[in-house]
Structures are given as structure tokens and as C-alpha cells.
Coordinates of all heavy atoms in Angstrom, one line a residue:
M1 N -20.3 -0.3 14.0 CA -19.4 -0.1 12.8 C -18.2 -1.1 12.9 O -17.7 -1.6 11.9 CB -18.9 1.3 12.8 CG -19.9 2.3 12.2 SD -19.3 3.8 11.7 CE -19.6 4.8 13.2
K2 N -17.7 -1.3 14.1 CA -16.5 -2.1 14.3 C -16.8 -3.6 13.8 O -15.9 -4.1 13.1 CB -16.0 -2.2 15.7 CG -15.3 -0.9 16.1 CD -14.8 -1.0 17.6 CE -14.2 0.3 18.0 NZ -13.7 0.3 19.4
P3 N -17.9 -4.2 14.1 CA -18.2 -5.5 13.6 C -18.2 -5.6 12.1 O -17.7 -6.6 11.5 CB -19.5 -5.9 14.2 CG -19.7 -5.0 15.4 CD -19.0 -3.8 15.1
N4 N -18.7 -4.6 11.5 CA -18.8 -4.6 10.0 C -17.4 -4.5 9.4 O -17.1 -5.2 8.4 CB -19.6 -3.4 9.5 CG -21.1 -3.5 9.8 OD1 -21.6 -4.6 10.1 ND2 -21.7 -2.4 9.9
I5 N -16.5 -3.7 10.0 CA -15.2 -3.5 9.5 C -14.4 -4.8 9.7 O -13.7 -5.3 8.9 CB -14.4 -2.4 10.2 CG1 -15.0 -1.1 9.6 CG2 -12.9 -2.4 9.9 CD1 -14.5 0.2 10.3
L6 N -14.6 -5.5 10.9 CA -14.0 -6.8 11.1 C -14.5 -7.8 10.2 O -13.6 -8.7 9.7 CB -14.3 -7.2 12.6 CG -13.3 -6.8 13.6 CD1 -13.7 -7.2 15.0 CD2 -11.9 -7.4 13.3
D7 N -15.7 -7.8 9.8 CA -16.2 -8.8 8.9 C -15.6 -8.6 7.5 O -15.2 -9.6 6.9 CB -17.8 -8.7 8.7 CG -18.5 -9.2 10.0 OD1 -17.9 -10.0 10.8 OD2 -19.7 -8.8 10.1
V8 N -15.5 -7.4 7.1 CA -14.9 -7.1 5.8 C -13.4 -7.5 5.8 O -12.9 -8.2 4.9 CB -15.0 -5.7 5.4 CG1 -14.2 -5.4 4.1 CG2 -16.5 -5.3 5.2
W9 N -12.7 -7.2 6.9 CA -11.3 -7.5 7.0 C -11.1 -9.0 7.1 O -10.1 -9.5 6.5 CB -10.7 -6.8 8.2 CG -9.3 -7.1 8.4 CD1 -8.2 -6.5 7.7 CD2 -8.6 -8.0 9.3 NE1 -7.0 -7.0 8.1 CE2 -7.2 -7.9 9.1 CE3 -9.1 -8.8 10.3 CZ2 -6.3 -8.6 9.8 CZ3 -8.2 -9.6 11.0 CH2 -6.8 -9.5 10.8
R10 N -12.0 -9.8 7.8 CA -11.8 -11.2 7.8 C -12.0 -11.9 6.4 O -11.4 -12.9 6.1 CB -12.8 -11.8 8.8 CG -12.4 -11.6 10.2 CD -13.3 -12.3 11.2 NE -13.0 -12.0 12.6 CZ -13.8 -11.5 13.5 NH1 -15.1 -11.4 13.2 NH2 -13.4 -11.2 14.7
T11 N -12.9 -11.3 5.7 CA -13.1 -11.8 4.3 C -12.0 -11.4 3.4 O -11.6 -12.3 2.6 CB -14.5 -11.2 3.8 OG1 -15.5 -11.4 4.7 CG2 -14.9 -11.9 2.5
F12 N -11.6 -10.2 3.4 CA -10.5 -9.7 2.5 C -9.4 -9.1 3.3 O -9.3 -7.9 3.6 CB -11.1 -8.6 1.6 CG -12.3 -8.9 0.9 CD1 -13.6 -8.4 1.3 CD2 -12.3 -9.7 -0.2 CE1 -14.7 -8.7 0.6 CE2 -13.4 -10.0 -0.9 CZ -14.6 -9.6 -0.5
K13 N -8.5 -10.0 3.7 CA -7.4 -9.6 4.6 C -6.4 -8.6 4.0 O -5.7 -7.9 4.6 CB -6.6 -10.8 5.1 CG -7.4 -11.7 5.9 CD -6.8 -12.0 7.2 CE -7.7 -12.9 8.0 NZ -7.7 -12.7 9.4
F14 N -6.4 -8.5 2.6 CA -5.5 -7.7 2.0 C -6.1 -6.3 1.7 O -5.4 -5.4 1.1 CB -5.1 -8.3 0.6 CG -6.2 -8.7 -0.2 CD1 -6.8 -7.8 -1.1 CD2 -6.7 -10.0 -0.1 CE1 -7.8 -8.2 -1.9 CE2 -7.8 -10.4 -0.9 CZ -8.4 -9.5 -1.8
Y15 N -7.3 -6.0 2.2 CA -7.9 -4.7 2.0 C -7.3 -3.8 3.0 O -7.2 -4.1 4.2 CB -9.4 -4.8 2.2 CG -10.2 -5.1 1.0 CD1 -9.6 -5.7 -0.2 CD2 -11.6 -4.9 0.9 CE1 -10.3 -6.0 -1.3 CE2 -12.3 -5.2 -0.2 CZ -11.7 -5.8 -1.3 OH -12.4 -6.1 -2.4
G16 N -7.0 -2.6 2.6 CA -6.6 -1.5 3.5 C -7.8 -0.6 3.8 O -8.9 -0.9 3.5
Y17 N -7.5 0.5 4.5 CA -8.6 1.3 5.0 C -9.4 1.9 3.9 O -10.6 2.1 3.9 CB -8.1 2.4 6.0 CG -7.4 3.5 5.4 CD1 -8.0 4.7 5.1 CD2 -6.0 3.4 5.2 CE1 -7.3 5.8 4.5 CE2 -5.3 4.4 4.7 CZ -5.9 5.6 4.3 OH -5.2 6.7 3.8
R18 N -8.7 2.2 2.8 CA -9.4 2.9 1.6 C -10.4 1.9 1.0 O -11.5 2.2 0.6 CB -8.4 3.4 0.6 CG -7.6 4.6 1.1 CD -6.7 5.1 0.0 NE -6.1 6.3 0.5 CZ -4.8 6.6 0.3 NH1 -4.0 5.8 -0.4 NH2 -4.2 7.7 0.8
R19 N -9.9 0.7 0.8 CA -10.8 -0.3 0.1 C -11.9 -0.7 1.0 O -13.1 -0.9 0.6 CB -10.0 -1.6 -0.2 CG -9.3 -1.5 -1.6 CD -8.8 -2.8 -2.0 NE -8.3 -2.8 -3.3 CZ -7.8 -3.9 -3.9 NH1 -7.6 -5.0 -3.2 NH2 -7.3 -3.8 -5.1
I20 N -11.7 -0.8 2.3 CA -12.8 -1.2 3.3 C -13.8 0.0 3.3 O -15.0 -0.3 3.3 CB -12.2 -1.4 4.7 CG1 -11.4 -2.7 4.7 CG2 -13.3 -1.5 5.7 CD1 -10.7 -3.1 6.0
A21 N -13.4 1.2 3.2 CA -14.3 2.3 3.2 C -15.1 2.3 1.9 O -16.3 2.5 1.9 CB -13.5 3.6 3.3
A22 N -14.5 2.0 0.8 CA -15.2 2.0 -0.5 C -16.2 0.8 -0.5 O -17.3 0.9 -1.0 CB -14.2 1.8 -1.6
Y23 N -15.8 -0.3 0.1 CA -16.7 -1.5 0.2 C -17.9 -1.1 1.1 O -19.0 -1.5 0.7 CB -15.9 -2.6 0.8 CG -16.7 -3.9 0.8 CD1 -16.7 -4.8 -0.3 CD2 -17.4 -4.3 2.0 CE1 -17.4 -6.0 -0.3 CE2 -18.1 -5.5 2.0 CZ -18.0 -6.3 0.8 OH -18.7 -7.5 0.8
S24 N -17.7 -0.4 2.2 CA -18.8 0.0 3.0 C -19.7 1.0 2.3 O -20.9 1.0 2.6 CB -18.3 0.6 4.3 OG -17.8 1.9 4.1
Q25 N -19.2 1.8 1.4 CA -20.1 2.7 0.6 C -21.0 1.9 -0.4 O -22.1 2.4 -0.6 CB -19.2 3.7 -0.2 CG -18.4 4.6 0.7 CD -19.2 5.6 1.5 OE1 -20.3 6.0 1.0 NE2 -18.7 6.0 2.6
Q26 N -20.5 0.8 -0.9 CA -21.2 0.1 -1.9 C -22.2 -0.9 -1.3 O -23.2 -1.3 -1.9 CB -20.2 -0.7 -2.7 CG -19.3 0.1 -3.6 CD -18.3 -0.6 -4.3 OE1 -18.1 -1.8 -4.1 NE2 -17.5 0.0 -5.1
T27 N -22.0 -1.3 0.0 CA -22.9 -2.3 0.6 C -24.1 -1.6 1.3 O -24.1 -0.4 1.4 CB -22.2 -3.2 1.6 OG1 -21.5 -2.4 2.5 CG2 -21.1 -4.0 0.8
D28 N -25.0 -2.4 1.8 CA -26.1 -1.9 2.5 C -25.9 -1.5 4.0 O -26.7 -0.9 4.6 CB -27.3 -2.9 2.5 CG -27.8 -3.2 1.1 OD1 -27.6 -2.3 0.3 OD2 -28.2 -4.3 0.9
G29 N -24.7 -1.8 4.5 CA -24.4 -1.5 5.9 C -24.1 0.0 6.1 O -24.4 0.8 5.2
P30 N -23.6 0.4 7.2 CA -23.4 1.8 7.5 C -22.3 2.3 6.6 O -21.3 1.6 6.3 CB -23.0 1.8 9.0 CG -22.5 0.4 9.3 CD -23.3 -0.5 8.4
K31 N -22.4 3.6 6.2 CA -21.4 4.2 5.3 C -20.4 4.8 6.3 O -20.7 5.6 7.2 CB -22.1 5.3 4.5 CG -23.3 5.0 3.8 CD -23.0 4.0 2.7 CE -24.3 3.8 1.9 NZ -24.6 2.4 1.5
V32 N -19.1 4.4 6.0 CA -18.0 4.8 6.9 C -17.0 5.5 6.0 O -16.6 5.0 4.9 CB -17.4 3.6 7.6 CG1 -16.3 4.1 8.5 CG2 -18.4 2.8 8.3
S33 N -16.5 6.7 6.4 CA -15.5 7.4 5.7 C -14.1 6.7 5.8 O -13.9 5.9 6.7 CB -15.4 8.9 6.2 OG -14.9 8.9 7.5
E34 N -13.2 7.1 5.0 CA -11.8 6.6 5.0 C -11.2 6.9 6.4 O -10.5 6.0 6.9 CB -11.0 7.1 3.9 CG -11.4 6.6 2.5 CD -10.4 7.1 1.4 OE1 -9.5 7.9 1.8 OE2 -10.7 6.8 0.3
Y35 N -11.3 8.1 6.8 CA -10.7 8.5 8.1 C -11.2 7.7 9.2 O -10.5 7.2 10.1 CB -10.8 10.0 8.3 CG -10.2 10.5 9.6 CD1 -8.8 10.5 9.7 CD2 -10.9 10.9 10.7 CE1 -8.2 10.9 10.9 CE2 -10.3 11.3 11.8 CZ -8.9 11.3 11.9 OH -8.4 11.7 13.1
M36 N -12.5 7.5 9.3 CA -13.2 6.8 10.4 C -12.8 5.3 10.3 O -12.5 4.7 11.3 CB -14.7 6.9 10.3 CG -15.4 6.2 11.4 SD -14.9 6.8 13.0 CE -16.3 7.8 13.4
T37 N -12.7 4.8 9.1 CA -12.2 3.4 8.9 C -10.8 3.2 9.4 O -10.5 2.3 10.1 CB -12.3 3.0 7.4 OG1 -13.6 3.2 6.9 CG2 -12.0 1.5 7.2
L38 N -9.9 4.2 9.1 CA -8.6 4.1 9.6 C -8.5 4.1 11.1 O -7.8 3.4 11.7 CB -7.8 5.3 9.0 CG -6.3 5.4 9.4 CD1 -5.5 4.2 9.0 CD2 -5.7 6.6 8.8
K39 N -9.3 5.0 11.7 CA -9.3 5.1 13.2 C -9.8 3.8 13.8 O -9.2 3.3 14.8 CB -10.2 6.3 13.6 CG -9.5 7.6 13.6 CD -10.4 8.8 14.0 CE -11.3 8.6 15.1 NZ -12.1 9.8 15.5
L40 N -10.9 3.3 13.3 CA -11.4 2.0 13.8 C -10.5 0.9 13.6 O -10.4 0.0 14.5 CB -12.8 1.7 13.2 CG -13.9 2.7 13.5 CD1 -15.1 2.4 12.7 CD2 -14.2 2.7 15.0
M41 N -9.8 0.8 12.5 CA -8.8 -0.3 12.3 C -7.7 -0.2 13.2 O -7.2 -1.2 13.7 CB -8.3 -0.2 10.8 CG -9.3 -0.7 9.8 SD -8.7 -0.6 8.1 CE -7.4 -1.9 8.1
R42 N -7.2 1.1 13.6 CA -6.2 1.2 14.6 C -6.7 0.8 15.9 O -5.9 0.1 16.7 CB -5.7 2.7 14.6 CG -4.8 3.1 13.5 CD -4.4 4.5 13.6 NE -3.6 4.9 12.5 CZ -3.4 6.1 12.1 NH1 -3.9 7.1 12.8 NH2 -2.6 6.4 11.1
E43 N -7.9 1.1 16.3 CA -8.5 0.7 17.6 C -8.6 -0.8 17.7 O -8.3 -1.4 18.7 CB -9.8 1.3 17.8 CG -9.8 2.8 18.1 CD -11.2 3.3 18.3 OE1 -12.2 2.5 18.5 OE2 -11.4 4.6 18.2
L44 N -8.9 -1.5 16.6 CA -9.1 -2.9 16.5 C -7.7 -3.6 16.4 O -7.6 -4.8 16.6 CB -10.0 -3.3 15.4 CG -11.5 -2.9 15.5 CD1 -12.2 -3.1 14.2 CD2 -12.1 -3.7 16.6
G45 N -6.7 -2.9 16.0 CA -5.4 -3.4 15.9 C -5.2 -4.3 14.6 O -4.5 -5.3 14.6
I46 N -6.0 -4.0 13.6 CA -5.9 -4.8 12.3 C -5.2 -4.0 11.2 O -5.3 -2.7 11.2 CB -7.3 -5.2 11.8 CG1 -8.2 -4.0 11.6 CG2 -7.9 -6.2 12.8 CD1 -9.6 -4.4 11.0
K47 N -4.5 -4.7 10.4 CA -3.7 -4.1 9.3 C -3.9 -4.8 8.0 O -4.3 -6.0 8.1 CB -2.2 -4.0 9.6 CG -1.8 -3.1 10.7 CD -0.3 -3.1 10.9 CE 0.1 -2.2 12.0 NZ 1.5 -2.2 12.2
S48 N -3.7 -4.2 6.9 CA -3.8 -4.9 5.6 C -2.6 -5.8 5.5 O -1.5 -5.6 6.0 CB -3.7 -3.8 4.5 OG -3.5 -4.5 3.3
R49 N -2.8 -6.9 4.8 CA -1.7 -7.9 4.7 C -1.2 -7.9 3.2 O -1.3 -9.0 2.5 CB -2.2 -9.3 5.1 CG -2.4 -9.4 6.5 CD -2.7 -10.9 6.9 NE -3.0 -11.0 8.3 CZ -3.4 -12.0 8.9 NH1 -3.6 -13.1 8.2 NH2 -3.6 -12.1 10.2
M50 N -0.8 -6.8 2.7 CA -0.3 -6.7 1.4 C 1.1 -7.1 1.3 O 1.9 -6.7 2.2 CB -0.5 -5.3 0.8 CG -1.9 -4.9 0.5 SD -2.5 -5.8 -0.9 CE -1.7 -5.0 -2.3
Q51 N 1.5 -7.7 0.2 CA 2.9 -8.0 0.0 C 3.6 -6.8 -0.7 O 2.9 -6.1 -1.5 CB 3.1 -9.2 -0.9 CG 2.6 -10.5 -0.2 CD 2.8 -11.7 -1.1 OE1 3.1 -11.6 -2.3 NE2 2.7 -12.9 -0.6
K52 N 4.9 -6.6 -0.4 CA 5.6 -5.6 -1.1 C 5.7 -5.9 -2.6 O 5.9 -7.1 -2.9 CB 7.0 -5.4 -0.5 CG 6.9 -4.7 0.8 CD 8.3 -4.3 1.2 CE 8.3 -3.5 2.5 NZ 9.6 -3.0 2.8
R53 N 5.5 -4.9 -3.4 CA 5.6 -5.2 -4.8 C 7.1 -5.5 -5.2 O 8.0 -4.9 -4.7 CB 5.1 -4.0 -5.6 CG 3.6 -3.8 -5.5 CD 3.1 -2.8 -6.4 NE 1.7 -2.8 -6.3 CZ 0.9 -1.9 -6.9 NH1 1.5 -0.9 -7.6 NH2 -0.4 -1.9 -6.7
Y54 N 7.2 -6.3 -6.2 CA 8.6 -6.6 -6.8 C 9.1 -5.4 -7.5 O 8.4 -4.8 -8.3 CB 8.5 -7.8 -7.7 CG 9.8 -8.1 -8.4 CD1 10.8 -8.7 -7.8 CD2 10.0 -7.7 -9.8 CE1 12.0 -9.0 -8.4 CE2 11.1 -8.0 -10.4 CZ 12.2 -8.6 -9.7 OH 13.4 -8.8 -10.4
R55 N 10.3 -5.0 -7.1 CA 11.0 -3.9 -7.8 C 12.1 -4.5 -8.7 O 13.0 -5.2 -8.2 CB 11.5 -2.9 -6.8 CG 10.4 -2.2 -6.1 CD 11.0 -0.9 -5.4 NE 10.0 -0.2 -4.7 CZ 9.3 0.8 -5.2 NH1 9.5 1.2 -6.4 NH2 8.4 1.4 -4.4
K56 N 12.1 -4.1 -9.9 CA 13.1 -4.6 -10.9 C 14.4 -4.0 -10.4 O 14.5 -2.8 -10.2 CB 12.7 -4.1 -12.3 CG 13.6 -4.6 -13.3 CD 13.2 -4.2 -14.7 CE 14.2 -4.4 -15.7 NZ 13.8 -3.8 -17.0
P57 N 15.5 -4.8 -10.4 CA 16.8 -4.2 -10.0 C 17.3 -3.2 -11.1 O 17.0 -3.4 -12.2 CB 17.7 -5.4 -9.9 CG 17.0 -6.6 -10.5 CD 15.5 -6.2 -10.6
K58 N 17.9 -2.2 -10.6 CA 18.4 -1.2 -11.5 C 19.6 -1.7 -12.3 O 20.3 -2.6 -11.8 CB 18.8 0.0 -10.7 CG 17.7 0.7 -10.0 CD 18.0 2.0 -9.5 CE 16.7 2.5 -8.9 NZ 16.7 3.9 -8.6
T59 N 19.8 -1.2 -13.4 CA 20.9 -1.6 -14.3 C 22.3 -1.3 -13.6 O 22.5 -0.1 -13.2 CB 20.8 -1.0 -15.7 OG1 19.5 -1.2 -16.2 CG2 21.9 -1.5 -16.6
V60 N 23.2 -2.2 -13.7 CA 24.5 -2.0 -13.1 C 25.5 -1.9 -14.2 O 25.5 -2.8 -15.1 CB 24.9 -3.1 -12.1 CG1 26.3 -2.9 -11.5 CG2 23.8 -3.2 -11.0
V61 N 26.4 -0.9 -14.2 CA 27.4 -0.8 -15.3 C 28.6 -1.5 -14.8 O 29.2 -1.3 -13.7 CB 27.7 0.7 -15.5 CG1 28.8 0.9 -16.5 CG2 26.5 1.5 -15.9
T62 N 29.0 -2.5 -15.7 CA 30.2 -3.3 -15.3 C 31.5 -2.8 -16.0 O 32.6 -3.2 -15.6 CB 30.0 -4.8 -15.7 OG1 29.7 -4.8 -17.1 CG2 28.8 -5.3 -14.9
V63 N 31.3 -1.9 -17.0 CA 32.5 -1.4 -17.7 C 33.0 -0.2 -17.0 O 32.2 0.7 -16.6 CB 32.1 -1.1 -19.2 CG1 33.3 -0.5 -19.9 CG2 31.5 -2.3 -19.9
D64 N 34.3 0.0 -16.9 CA 34.9 1.2 -16.3 C 34.5 2.4 -17.1 O 34.4 2.3 -18.3 CB 36.4 1.1 -16.2 CG 36.8 0.0 -15.1 OD1 36.0 -0.3 -14.3 OD2 38.0 -0.5 -15.2
Q65 N 34.4 3.5 -16.4 CA 34.0 4.7 -17.1 C 35.2 5.2 -17.9 O 36.4 5.0 -17.5 CB 33.6 5.8 -16.1 CG 32.3 5.5 -15.4 CD 31.1 5.5 -16.3 OE1 31.0 6.4 -17.1 NE2 30.3 4.5 -16.2
K66 N 35.0 5.8 -19.0 CA 36.1 6.3 -19.9 C 36.6 7.6 -19.3 O 35.8 8.4 -18.7 CB 35.5 6.6 -21.3 CG 34.8 5.4 -21.9 CD 35.8 4.6 -22.7 CE 35.0 3.6 -23.5 NZ 35.6 2.3 -23.5
P67 N 37.9 7.8 -19.4 CA 38.4 9.1 -18.9 C 37.9 10.2 -19.8 O 37.5 10.0 -20.9 CB 39.9 8.9 -19.0 CG 40.1 7.8 -20.1 CD 38.9 6.9 -20.0
N68 N 38.0 11.4 -19.2 CA 37.5 12.6 -20.0 C 38.3 12.7 -21.3 O 39.6 12.8 -21.2 CB 37.7 13.8 -19.1 CG 36.9 15.0 -19.7 OD1 36.5 14.9 -20.8 ND2 36.9 16.0 -18.9
L69 N 37.7 12.7 -22.4 CA 38.4 12.8 -23.7 C 38.8 14.3 -24.0 O 39.5 14.5 -24.9 CB 37.5 12.2 -24.8 CG 37.1 10.8 -24.6 CD1 36.2 10.3 -25.7 CD2 38.4 9.9 -24.6
L70 N 38.2 15.2 -23.4 CA 38.5 16.6 -23.7 C 39.6 17.1 -22.7 O 39.3 18.0 -21.9 CB 37.2 17.5 -23.6 CG 36.1 17.1 -24.6 CD1 34.9 18.0 -24.3 CD2 36.6 17.4 -26.0
T71 N 40.7 16.6 -22.8 CA 41.8 17.1 -22.0 C 42.6 18.1 -22.7 O 42.8 18.1 -23.9 CB 42.8 15.9 -21.6 OG1 43.3 15.3 -22.8 CG2 42.1 14.9 -20.8
I72 N 43.0 19.1 -22.0 CA 43.8 20.2 -22.6 C 45.3 20.0 -22.1 O 45.5 20.0 -20.9 CB 43.3 21.6 -22.1 CG1 41.8 21.7 -22.6 CG2 44.1 22.7 -22.7 CD1 41.1 22.9 -22.1
D73 N 46.2 19.8 -23.1 CA 47.6 19.7 -22.7 C 48.2 21.0 -22.6 O 48.1 21.9 -23.4 CB 48.3 18.9 -23.8 CG 47.9 17.4 -23.9 OD1 47.5 16.9 -22.8 OD2 47.8 16.9 -25.0
P74 N 49.0 21.2 -21.5 CA 49.6 22.6 -21.3 C 50.8 22.7 -22.2 O 51.4 21.9 -22.8 CB 50.0 22.6 -19.9 CG 49.8 21.2 -19.3 CD 49.1 20.4 -20.4

């Protein structure tokens, strides 16, 4: 099973354990569950090479906040 996982990982370096497990289900090789794929990837010391997704920066307010308009004068 390890050589099959290594072959898939060498071909698709960005695949994680879930995709490798799904790929093994679709091909003619041995069927490997997600958990077993994760364990074998840890043993082999391989990881997915995904880039972090771009996160849009949050809106920043540049205007000072208005004071509370509902003030009660004594």
C-alpha cells in the first residue's frame, strides 16, 4: 500500500489524505480508507503541498466613531 500512496503523492503533490484515499477507491489498486491513508502518510513522512488560500483583508474604518447622540443632560 505504501508504494501506491507514494506514487499518487509523487504525481499529485498537492493531494492530501482525503484525495489520495478517493483516488485509490477509483483506481484498480488496493482500496485504502482515509484513516489508513493518513496513517501511512505519517509513517512515510509526506504531506500535502497546498498553498494557503488568499484571505481578503477586512474593511478598516478610518473615520472616528461618532459620540453617543442620546445624551441626557442633568
